[in-house]
Amino acid sequence: MRRIALSSLVISAVLAASGPASADPAPVVIELFTSQGCSSCPPADELVKHLAERQDVLPLAFHVDYWDYIGWADIFADPAYTDRQRGYAHVGGRNMIYTPQMIIMGREDVVGADVMEVSEALSGYLGQKPKVQLTTGRSEEQLTVSAPALPDGMSGQFRVQLVRYMPLERVEIKRGELAGNTVDYANIVESLEVLAEWTGAEPLEVTTTFVGDLPAAVLVQEWPFGPIFAAARVE
C-alpha cells in the first residue's frame, strides 16, 4: 500500500519554529477537521500525529462526513463534527467549510496542510497562561472538574466539554480519492460530551462518570463556538 507523509525535515521545521515543548499543563488546542475521503488531508493528518507527541499542544482530529459520497465512507466520521465545523464558520463569518481545516484555540482558522501557517499560528499561543485555572481529578469511575469563579468582568457564557479520543489508528483506504493508501490517524475524537454550561460567576464543580481507557481532555469554551479559555488533560 502507498503511504502519504510529510518529510521528517518539514516536521522538524514546524516543531522548531513553534518553539520548544514545555511542561505547561494547559496545552494549546488544535482542532483538525479532516476526512478519509479528502485527497489533500493526509499531510495535515501526519502533522497532527507529530504534534500529538508534544505536551504543550493538544491536537484533536474531528472526522467529518461530507466527503463520504465520493466513494469511501470515513469510518471515524460523525455528522456532529460537521455541525461543529459549520458552527465555527457561522460565528467566524465564513461562507464555506473545507478540509483540512485547523481551528486553533477556537479562534484562528488555518489550512491544516500548510505547515508554516500552522507553525506561525501555534507560536502565538504557546506559553500563554490560561484564563481559567482548570483542575481535573479521577476517582474510581468518576471524573471531577473544578475551577474558581472568574474575576469581575470576565463572566459570560461558557461550555465545559469532555472529549475522548483514540491515540492512533492505521487505516487502509480501498476506495475514493485516496484508494490504495494507508494513513495513520492520531488523536481521533471518539466523543464530545457537554458537562456543564457555566457563567464563571460562581466556582465550577462538576462530577461525571468516567470509564474506559481512552485518553481524555476537558475544554472550557466561550459559547457558541468562541475562544477556548482553558484545556486540561485527564490524567
Side-chain angles (χ1 to χ4, degrees):
M1 293 282 186
R2 290 178 294 146
R3 301 187 63 202
I4 301 176
L6 294 173
S7 73
S8 59
L9 291 177
V10 171
I11 293 293
S12 297
V14 68
L15 296 183
S18 300
S22 74
D24 190 338
V28 178
V29 179
I30 298 178
E31 299 176 53
L32 170 66
F33 293 94
T34 185
S35 172
Q36 294 168 10
C38 162
S39 61
S40 58
C41 285
D45 299 318
E46 183 76 6
L47 182 56
V48 163
K49 178 182 172 182
H50 287 270
L51 289 172
E53 299 172 1
R54 298 179 64 131
Q55 288 300 306
D56 54 356
V57 179
L58 176 61
L60 298 169
F62 288 87
H63 285 243
V64 298
D65 63 349
Y66 51 83
W67 294 122
D68 289 0
Y69 76 94
I70 292 178
W72 176 260
D74 190 315
I75 62 175
F76 305 128
D78 190 319
Y81 305 153
T82 301
D83 290 343
R84 184 173 178 87
Q85 188 181 24
R86 288 192 179 116
Y88 276 125
H90 177 74
V91 170
R94 296 183 291 274
N95 295 323
M96 61 175 289
I97 57 176
Y98 66 93
T99 53
Q101 180 189 36
M102 284 184 177
I103 303 291
I104 299 179
M105 291 300 286
R107 304 174 189 224
E108 291 195 46
D109 160 35
V110 299
V111 177
D114 189 327
V115 176
M116 298 315 298
E117 185 179 14
V118 173
S119 175
E120 182 178 351
L122 180 59
S123 65
Y125 291 94
L126 290 170
Q128 288 188 4
K129 185 178 179 179
K131 295 183 179 180
V132 178
Q133 298 300 317
L134 189 62
T135 302
T136 64
R138 291 182 60 182
S139 176
E140 296 181 348
E141 294 186 348
Q142 288 191 325
L143 170 69
T144 300
V145 180
S146 59
L150 298 179
D152 292 342
M154 281 189 62
S155 60
Q157 296 297 322
F158 301 96
R159 179 164 285 185
V160 183
Q161 302 161 91
L162 174 65
V163 59
R164 305 292 300 266
Y165 55 92
M166 294 180 281
L168 188 67
E169 293 287 338
R170 178 168 292 176
V171 178
E172 294 182 2
I173 300 176
K174 299 179 181 179
R175 297 184 301 279
E177 291 186 344
L178 289 175
N181 287 284
T182 297
V183 183
D184 288 340
Y185 294 99
N187 285 21
I188 308 149
V189 174
E190 194 273 338
S191 66
L192 184 65
E193 177 186 356
V194 178
L195 298 182
E197 305 287 353
W198 183 50
T199 67
E202 301 291 339
L204 173 70
E205 189 76 23
V206 179
T207 300
T208 188
T209 302
F210 189 91
V211 297
D213 298 327
L214 285 180
V218 176
L219 315 178
V220 176
Q221 183 172 17
E222 185 177 329
W223 205 253
F225 300 103
I228 292 174
F229 278 84
R233 288 183 171 88
V234 176
E235 304 293 348

